[in-house]
């Protein structure tokens, strides 16, 4: 490799590193301040960059928010779909599998690994009208809707095996997700503080029990 090639590679690496730093900073600031209140200068300072550098990477705050929220939503979706595959493939009874899956899905929304992403989601829930509509559609498609479709496909497979009675997989998935999330959504609505693990698991287990009353095959 020539010195010119080495210099070009190093320059691209620095540019990629700076872009990553800006995205991480934006995730933190948007989660803390929302979209309308988040300042480009604040995000740049958090990333250790100038506003000029930020604009070299992104056209403006809306473009930065869209890439931030879709990239983080995609990371969360990948992790949650892996949970789905692991639990539904497990050699265990259906109720235990659905409780285990539900607990992992719920705790992924309240634990440190994805804390900045779900802080943004809470901001969206409070002030959706202040977020760009196109960005919200991109977030939904990259994250929640992707997971929803994966859950629906998993339930279709369970129906094919005779383990669930599913007329409309998309609706069935929506019911399951609503039931497992009901308690954590209610108890984190005020300050974002999650219940203890034992309470979370109990809430998920009750939700799964209610779900199975409606969706287990009938004799």
């Amino acid at each position: 490799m020539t010195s010119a090639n080495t210099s070009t590679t190093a320059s691209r690496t620095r540019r990629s590193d700076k872009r990553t730093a800006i995205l991480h900073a934006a995730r933190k600031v948007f989660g803390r301040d929302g979209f309308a209140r988040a300042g480009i200068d604040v995000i740049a300072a958090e990333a250790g960059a100038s506003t000029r550098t930020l604009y070299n990477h992104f056209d403006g705050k809306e473009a930065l928010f869209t890439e931030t929220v879709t990239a983080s939503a995609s990371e969360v979706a990948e992790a949650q779909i892996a949970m789905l595959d692991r639990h539904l493939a497990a050699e265990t009874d259906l109720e235990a599998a659905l409780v285990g899956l539900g607990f992992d899905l719920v705790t992924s929304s309240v634990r440190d690994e994805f804390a900045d992403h779900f802080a943004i989601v809470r901001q969206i829930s409070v002030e959706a009208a202040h977020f760009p509509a196109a960005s919200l559609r991109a977030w939904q498609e990259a994250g929640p809707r992707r997971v929803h479709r994966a859950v629906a496909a998993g339930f279709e497979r369970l129906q094919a095996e005779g383990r669930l009675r599913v007329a409309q997989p998309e609706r069935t998935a929506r019911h399951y997700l609503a039931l497992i999330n009901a308690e954590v959504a209610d108890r984190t609505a005020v300050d974002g503080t999650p219940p203890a693990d034992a309470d979370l698991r109990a809430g998920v287990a009750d939700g799964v029990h209610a779900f199975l009353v409606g969706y287990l095959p009938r004799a």
Side-chain angles (χ1 to χ4, degrees), residues 184-198:
V184 69
D186 180 64
R187 294 178 64 175
T188 60
V190 176
D191 62 2
T193 302
D197 280 359

Side-chain angles (χ1 to χ4, degrees), residues 98-104 106-107 176 179-181 183 199-210:
L98 293 178
V99 170
L101 170 61
F103 180 76
D104 281 356
V106 167
T107 54
Y176 171 76
L179 286 165
I180 64 168
N181 279 290
E183 184 156 341
D199 292 334
L200 279 178
R201 187 174 288 276
V204 168
D206 287 345
V208 169
H209 178 76

Side-chain angles (χ1 to χ4, degrees), residues 137-175:
R137 287 193 294 271
W139 156 62
Q140 285 279 345
E141 192 59 33
R145 288 176 185 159
R146 185 178 167 200
V147 175
H148 185 184
R149 288 193 295 269
V151 174
F155 287 172
E156 278 192 287
R157 292 194 297 272
L158 291 172
Q159 176 179 256
E161 296 168 3
R163 302 175 73 189
L164 278 183
R165 179 175 53 86
V166 178
Q168 298 185 47
E170 292 279 335
R171 182 174 295 164
T172 303
R174 192 173 298 114
H175 289 169

Side-chain angles (χ1 to χ4, degrees), residues 4-148:
N5 287 339
T6 301
S7 177
T8 299
T9 299
S11 176
R12 287 174 179 167
T13 299
R14 287 193 299 272
R15 181 174 175 82
S16 176
D17 289 346
K18 185 57 67 177
R19 185 182 184 87
T20 299
I22 291 169
L23 286 169
H24 285 167
R27 193 180 303 188
K28 181 176 180 179
V29 175
F30 285 130
R32 184 185 68 219
D33 299 341
F35 179 78
R37 295 186 303 276
I40 284 292
D41 55 337
V42 175
I43 295 170
E46 182 73 34
S50 66
T51 54
R52 179 177 179 178
T53 298
L54 190 151
Y55 281 115
N56 285 338
H57 289 271
F58 301 95
D59 290 339
K61 186 163 74 167
E62 183 170 335
L64 174 57
F65 175 74
T66 299
E67 183 160 346
T68 299
V69 75
T70 54
S72 61
S74 182
E75 288 177 21
V76 174
E78 290 284 349
Q80 292 183 332
I81 291 169
M83 295 170 191
L84 173 74
D85 293 340
R86 184 172 67 253
H87 283 286
L88 295 191
E91 291 297 328
T92 185
D93 67 90
L94 179 59
E95 185 165 1
L98 293 178
V99 170
L101 170 61
F103 180 76
D104 281 356
L105 290 175
V106 167
T107 54
S108 71
S109 71
V110 296
R111 296 298 180 246
D112 290 344
E113 183 181 2
F114 300 122
D116 288 341
H117 174 76
F118 285 102
I120 296 175
V121 173
R122 286 193 294 274
Q123 291 281 2
I124 292 170
S125 298
V126 171
E127 52 172 339
H130 297 291
F131 286 81
S135 299
L136 297 187
R137 287 193 294 271
W139 156 62
Q140 285 279 345
E141 192 59 33
R145 288 176 185 159
R146 185 178 167 200
V147 175
H148 185 184

